[in-house]
Amino acid sequence: MTTQTPNARRVFLQRLLAGSAAAGVFMVYRQPVMAALKGANETTQAAGHDYAFVVDISRCIGCGQCVRACSIENEVPEGQYRTWIERYVVTPDGVHVDSPQGGMHGFDEVDEALASEAINSFFVPKLCNHCAEAPCIQVCPVGATFRSPEGFVLVDPEHCIGCSYCVQACPYGVRFINREKHIADKCTWCYHRVSQGKLPACVTVCPTQARMFGDLNDPDSQVARVLQEDNWDVLKPEAHTASMCLYLGLPRVVV
Amino acid sequence: MLPNESLVNFFFPNEAEIHWSLMIVIYPYITGLVAGAFVVSSLYHVFQIRAFENIARFALVAAFSFGLFAAVPLLFHLGQPFRALNIFFTPHTTSAMSVFGYVYSSYMILLMIELWLVYREYFIQKAQETQGIPGRVWKILTLGVMDYTPESARVDHKLTTFLAAIGIPWACFLHGYVGFIFGSVKANAWWATPLQPIIFLMSAIVSGIAMLMLMYAFIRWRTRQAYDFPMIQKLMGFLWGFFIIDFFLEGLEIVYVAYEHGHHWSVIGPLLSGPLYDTFVIGQVLVLSVVPFLTLGYITIFKPWGKGLLYLANLASLLLVLQVLFMRFNVVVGGQLISKSDRGFTEFHFEFLAREGVVPAVIILSAPFVVFYIISRLIPVLGDAPDTE
Amino acid sequence: MNVSPRTHIYRLVVVLVVIAAGFAALRSLAIPDSWDNEKFYRVDSLDDLKLQPLRMGGNEACAGSGCHEQQRMARHKERLDALAKGNHSGLACENCHGPLSDHVSGGRRAASALINRENTLCLGCHGPLLSRPKNFPQFNAENTGHWYFDVEITTPCRDCHDPHEPRHMAAPRDRHTLEEASATAAAEQPHALSEVTR
């Protein structure tokens, strides 16, 4: 090293610096440049769908078929739930809410003391609301969760790092970290079924049509009619999540 | 007492498991120590507080030792730790958490440059003295420049001051963003407040100063060296000042929420009088806040000296080091105890040998001290020569 | 050797630039090709998600699937016709018979479809619960038919009810027709006759 003249060494270092800087700049812009050359990313779905879900409280009988069907269809680990049923018993002294195993095996009758006090009682199905302004998407640090063009809020199973921030941010408690896959998981409105023209599993099995799913852009769909009749509510409207899960007959005590 | 007229304790089925556990408690704790120690070093380098001249290097080395392990709890926590680099590849800037990768690494680089500038003279001296492989290592650390000229020392000094100056807002960002991560979650009543970033930052500085005090006292005791009492007095003064701000802000947040008596209080009131009563009201506030507050007040106003000062300073510092740990626990875990159904609470259970258990947490918290010890054997930290005893 | 007072800084900068360039290269290679920077997600993940295998077939998979048209499975067609006529027409076959994927795998029959004859199946929907909607039929031992034939909640529902057309009653246990029973009950039972269900 000491036999090289200082000038030659300086020139070498300058070239190394310039070369590295150039390579760095090139590498930073490689991906967007390549993408632009390849043409814009084609969307893989036919454009124009805008899906929504409707839950009719007055029809739910708490049979738990939906919870079982979802669990089977999506291989949900035991003790974790992509959807569940809550039972409310309203009394003058307060509210009794329970959801034994998410309602998967139905419900046993409430005890007599509580039943005698009840002024109202009903079941409330819960699932991901696929919010149009989802806080879970906002907080994902790596862009693993996103909203598809037709309104599905989904998790990229290859990109998720399992940090659980989305689980914390969801106001509805519908997300969890899949115990077997170690990534964020939740109801997907059965994206894999809908993309083949079928309905979500829970909608398919509901014996009383308490759950409905459809395209808001299709004027003949039930969900479009419900939206138009403006008789619906969403959970936690104060959170301003633009929830796409519309509830019919939602009592005030439901959170 | 259950929230919102609930007759039984209810939480959503997926809330049975608490996702942010001990690893997420100790992560802000460790970055807090980094930020706090760095602030002490900058108090000398930028604000020229003469009393801290002899501990400025020590604070930097401590900040570096803690900083090395800041990312470790996160790697233990992630469901997919091998994808951790995604935070560098596709950082989603609407998420406060996305800045972690770049802020943390750039901060560590800044810290390493600062350390390098401060110790360069020593590296050059060692490179000239030692032979063989250790000699090569020292030589690499000098980047081949074997002269420590007065002009180059002036260049170093200017750059050190500059880095120490931008290091302060950078350290604030490194820790403040953690507060934002919690404070911006509208779904969690205990977390959501605009005060969260500044509360986290102030308590971080408190923990850093307190930890430095404990480390300093321990090292001086073990090496049987004299204590710099004027420095300790000044340090405790700053500790009290930062703690007053921290305690005031934490208290303000609760007073506001209680006074507002709105949705947040409907779940926070039962939380603080219920599951969090022991760790928050008794632990964090009564024992670990009031006692050090009074102790530091006594130190600052009545200016005790000698052994008295030493014991009181150590007592206050130990309690505050625990206070900040309790605060992190109460915020992180406490917030998750509240069910989003507004009708009950979940339970937290300590695990021991699991991924987020007590044993890994203790090991991770101890590791920086081991590294600090190793570094102090190689370079002079609290004196002119490394501690070779 | 004469070096400038800033030489060590220049060398430090070189080191940093090399590290930065290396990192930029790594990042460029690591970002997925289909990444949409505006919507911020990996577009190819949509295709990955579509590949999830289906387990529930829906009724369209059971009716006219080409599986049950053979003579041996003629009963199946009878059931489907009965289903279409009665109160259970809105039900999914898989509600009671289990998911399609348990029955069919790779286009061939894997196992028999589930047939559950226990009361628990019927009571899963029709068991009386406070929280069920009042207009939903729930088992009541005191309604006319059940009272007359001494039906308890443990009496096998299938003794009288065809699960595919539940209002079409099978022959009751003691051979009376339901009409005869109603006439007798009108005379004997003090409750209102119009209450067939709760």
Side-chain angles (χ1 to χ4, degrees):
Chain A
M1 268 288 253
T2 46
T3 52
Q4 273 181 299
T5 63
N7 269 336
R9 197 172 337 140
R10 186 172 298 158
V11 166
F12 167 76
L13 284 176
Q14 282 171 347
R15 289 206 180 126
L16 178 63
L17 180 63
S20 303
V25 167
F26 170 71
M27 282 306 192
V28 164
Y29 289 103
R30 183 193 85 107
Q31 200 265 346
V33 166
M34 293 308 212
L37 289 172
K38 203 164 72 155
N41 279 322
E42 315 94 44
T43 46
T44 49
Q45 267 306 93
H49 293 298
D50 185 13
Y51 290 110
F53 204 98
V54 172
V55 177
D56 189 342
I57 300 287
S58 68
R59 293 186 189 172
C60 179
I61 60 173
C63 64
Q65 292 273 7
C66 50
V67 184
R68 287 199 290 283
C70 171
S71 173
I72 290 168
E73 178 72 26
N74 297 295
E75 295 180 348
V76 183
E78 204 184 304
Q80 305 194 298
Y81 303 90
R82 286 191 173 196
T83 187
W84 68 90
I85 316 278
E86 294 168 12
R87 171 175 54 187
Y88 278 70
V89 181
V90 183
T91 76
D93 295 325
V95 183
H96 178 286
V97 189
D98 69 329
S99 182
Q101 290 181 288
M104 184 179 270
H105 302 293
F107 291 78
D108 292 330
E109 184 60 289
V110 296
D111 67 50
E112 274 185 55
L114 181 64
S116 61
E117 297 283 302
I119 46 181
N120 193 11
S121 187
F122 47 87
F123 294 104
V124 182
K126 293 281 186 84
L127 68 161
C128 172
N129 290 198
H130 293 262
C131 310
E133 284 172 38
C136 60
I137 296 176
Q138 192 183 15
V139 302
C140 175
V142 296
T145 194
F146 59 94
R147 195 155 199 267
S148 82
E150 324 89 339
F152 291 80
V153 174
L154 299 167
V155 178
D156 179 350
E158 298 296 312
H159 209 63
C160 174
I161 62 176
C163 73
S164 306
Y165 200 4
C166 60
V167 176
Q168 304 295 347
C170 174
Y172 307 107
V174 303
R175 284 177 167 263
F176 55 95
I177 299 296
N178 187 305
R179 198 173 293 133
E180 286 153 23
K181 298 183 185 152
H182 307 294
I183 55 172
D185 199 341
K186 68 179 189 67
C187 155
T188 59
W189 278 348
C190 284
Y191 180 69
H192 62 295
R193 294 177 64 89
V194 177
S195 53
Q196 285 183 38
K198 291 187 179 292
L199 288 170
C202 58
V203 176
T204 307
V205 302
C206 178
T208 57
Q209 282 87 57
R211 292 176 179 247
M212 289 166 266
F213 179 82
D215 185 357
L216 291 174
N217 287 341
D218 172 9
D220 294 326
S221 71
Q222 293 167 304
V223 300
R225 250 177 284 132
V226 166
L227 181 74
Q228 226 236 331
E229 279 159 25
D230 205 20
N231 206 13
W232 47 270
D233 290 295
V234 293
L235 297 171
K236 296 198 181 181
E238 68 278 6
H240 285 261
T241 55
S243 158
M244 296 307 285
C245 192
L246 314 178
Y247 280 81
L248 294 173
L250 185 71
R252 211 166 312 166
V253 292
V254 177
V255 173
Chain B
M1 191 187 80
L2 291 171
N4 291 303
E5 294 149 354
S6 192
L7 294 174
V8 288
N9 192 54
F10 175 71
F11 48 85
F12 292 140
N14 288 324
E15 289 180 323
E17 198 180 325
I18 286 186
H19 286 93
W20 282 2
S21 182
L22 287 186
M23 288 297 142
I24 307 301
V25 170
I26 68 175
Y27 163 70
Y29 191 67
I30 295 178
T31 56
L33 293 172
V34 175
F38 188 86
V39 164
V40 172
S41 172
S42 292
L43 282 172
Y44 168 67
H45 282 121
V46 180
F47 297 102
Q48 330 267 303
I49 308 232
R50 293 266 143 232
F52 298 148
E53 180 169 6
N54 293 329
I55 60 163
R57 277 201 310 199
F58 159 68
L60 268 182
V61 175
F64 177 69
S65 307
F66 291 123
L68 279 178
F69 292 93
V72 176
L74 299 178
L75 290 172
F76 270 65
H77 161 75
L78 286 181
Q80 297 284 342
F82 291 107
R83 295 181 192 168
L85 291 180
N86 279 353
I87 213 148
F88 286 101
F89 302 148
T90 58
H92 189 203
T93 47
T94 61
S95 166
M97 199 185 280
S98 69
V99 306
F100 166 70
Y102 289 103
V103 171
Y104 170 66
S105 13
S106 58
Y107 186 80
M108 286 304 288
I109 289 174
L110 184 150
L111 200 45
M112 286 193 277
I113 296 175
E114 181 102 355
L115 273 169
W116 181 70
L117 291 170
V118 165
Y119 279 99
R120 198 171 70 91
E121 186 180 10
Y122 184 76
F123 294 157
I124 290 173
Q125 179 197 328
K126 289 299 282 190
Q128 285 164 344
E129 287 172 5
T130 24
Q131 313 288 10
I133 297 188
R136 277 186 188 262
V137 174
W138 291 116
K139 196 142 186 256
I140 292 172
L141 283 172
T142 67
L143 290 185
V145 175
M146 298 292 269
D147 289 330
Y148 192 72
T149 63
E151 299 91 43
S152 70
R154 272 197 294 277
V155 169
D156 285 354
H157 179 75
K158 271 199 287 194
L159 195 50
T160 307
T161 312
F162 172 71
L163 288 176
I166 60 165
I168 297 176
W170 214 242
C172 292
F173 193 24
L174 175 72
H175 199 72
Y177 98 93
V178 177
F180 193 91
I181 284 180
F182 292 98
S184 59
V185 178
K186 61 186 168 185
N188 192 311
W190 186 221
W191 291 353
T193 165
L195 289 176
Q196 211 67 275
I198 186 89
I199 288 176
F200 266 73
L201 184 57
M202 288 300 121
S203 59
I205 296 174
V206 164
S207 69
I209 298 177
M211 187 61 86
L212 284 179
M213 176 66 223
L214 291 173
M215 288 171 70
Y216 174 81
F218 178 77
I219 293 170
R220 284 320 224 195
W221 172 69
R222 283 289 292 181
T223 56
R224 282 169 290 220
Q225 305 271 15
Y227 297 98
D228 185 350
F229 291 116
M231 182 278 292
I232 294 177
Q233 263 290 344
K234 197 109 199 160
L235 196 64
M236 292 299 104
F238 273 98
L239 183 59
W240 195 43
F242 279 110
F243 182 60
I244 289 173
I245 300 174
D246 175 34
F247 193 42
F248 171 70
L249 288 170
E250 285 172 14
L252 183 69
E253 211 265 301
I254 295 183
V255 164
Y256 245 88
V257 166
Y259 187 88
E260 178 197 46
H261 211 78
H263 167 250
H264 282 203
W265 186 247
S266 75
V267 286
I268 290 175
L271 174 73
L272 296 182
S273 58
L276 224 54
Y277 183 74
D278 293 331
T279 53
F280 182 79
V281 177
I282 306 292
Q284 183 179 327
V285 178
L286 280 180
V287 175
L288 298 176
S289 293
V290 172
V291 176
F293 181 88
L294 295 173
T295 311
L296 288 170
Y298 178 83
I299 291 175
T300 310
I301 296 171
F302 294 103
K303 299 207 188 312
W305 209 251
K307 279 249 159 65
L309 172 62
L310 199 60
Y311 290 155
L312 289 175
N314 276 325
L315 173 70
S317 298
L318 180 64
L319 292 176
L320 284 178
V321 148
L322 289 173
Q323 195 266 11
V324 177
L325 187 60
F326 266 61
M327 180 269 189
R328 304 295 188 244
F329 180 85
N330 287 327
V331 171
V332 174
V333 174
Q336 292 173 89
L337 294 180
I338 302 173
S339 167
K340 287 167 180 161
S341 69
D342 286 348
R343 294 231 154 80
F345 301 101
T346 44
E347 279 179 14
F348 176 76
H349 302 284
F350 282 95
E351 297 172 299
F352 281 88
L353 283 173
R355 207 157 53 105
E356 295 218 36
V358 174
V359 172
V362 167
I363 292 174
I364 294 172
L365 282 173
S366 315
F369 299 102
V370 173
V371 168
F372 180 88
Y373 174 70
I374 294 170
I375 294 177
S376 71
R377 305 275 293 203
L378 299 169
I379 59 177
V381 178
L382 259 183
D384 291 324
D387 296 326
T388 44
E389 279 299 310
Chain C
M1 176 179 39
N2 264 340
V3 292
S4 120
R6 279 186 271 305
T7 304
H8 60 292
I9 304 293
Y10 299 146
R11 291 187 186 173
L12 176 68
V13 170
V14 168
V15 169
L16 291 176
V17 168
V18 169
I19 293 175
F23 177 76
L26 177 67
R27 177 166 181 258
S28 167
L29 294 169
I31 295 179
D33 288 329
S34 70
W35 193 263
D36 178 338
N37 226 26
E38 204 201 304
K39 297 278 172 57
F40 217 82
Y41 71 104
R42 182 178 68 98
V43 179
D44 280 354
S45 66
L46 291 175
D47 293 329
D48 293 346
L49 291 168
K50 284 182 195 153
L51 294 174
Q52 180 183 334
L54 272 66
R55 298 244 181 279
M56 314 290 291
N59 283 13
E60 62 269 28
C62 310
S65 57
C67 302
H68 290 280
E69 273 71 4
Q70 308 118 328
Q71 187 58 31
R72 206 163 74 83
M73 291 281 108
R75 282 174 303 161
H76 188 262
K77 177 118 185 9
E78 279 173 31
R79 304 282 188 269
L80 283 171
D81 291 340
L83 195 68
K85 282 191 278 179
N87 280 21
H88 275 183
S89 57
L91 283 191
C93 313
E94 289 160 301
N95 272 129
C96 304
H97 295 294
L100 182 68
S101 61
D102 285 355
H103 179 43
V104 175
S105 175
R108 310 199 74 82
R109 179 179 174 281
S112 291
L114 181 70
I115 301 201
N116 182 354
R117 297 185 170 87
E118 300 300 314
N119 274 20
T120 46
L121 180 62
C122 313
L123 293 172
C125 289
H126 293 289
L129 283 181
L130 172 73
S131 319
R132 288 190 158 140
K134 296 293 176 275
N135 59 2
F136 183 76
Q138 298 169 56
F139 176 79
N140 175 18
E142 304 309 315
N143 73 37
T144 310
H146 294 153
W147 168 79
Y148 187 77
F149 294 111
D150 288 322
V151 171
E152 319 240 312
I153 205 158
T154 47
T155 314
C157 312
R158 289 184 78 258
D159 278 1
C160 304
H161 294 281
D162 173 359
H164 300 95
E165 202 186 346
R167 295 278 180 136
H168 174 247
M169 310 298 178
R173 282 176 298 167
D174 62 357
R175 301 262 158 214
H176 289 276
T177 62
L178 192 57
E179 289 77 25
E180 277 178 27
S182 297
T184 323
E188 294 179 22
Q189 188 189 37
H191 304 295
L193 279 172
S194 57
E195 271 188 32
V196 178
T197 56
R198 194 196 198 170

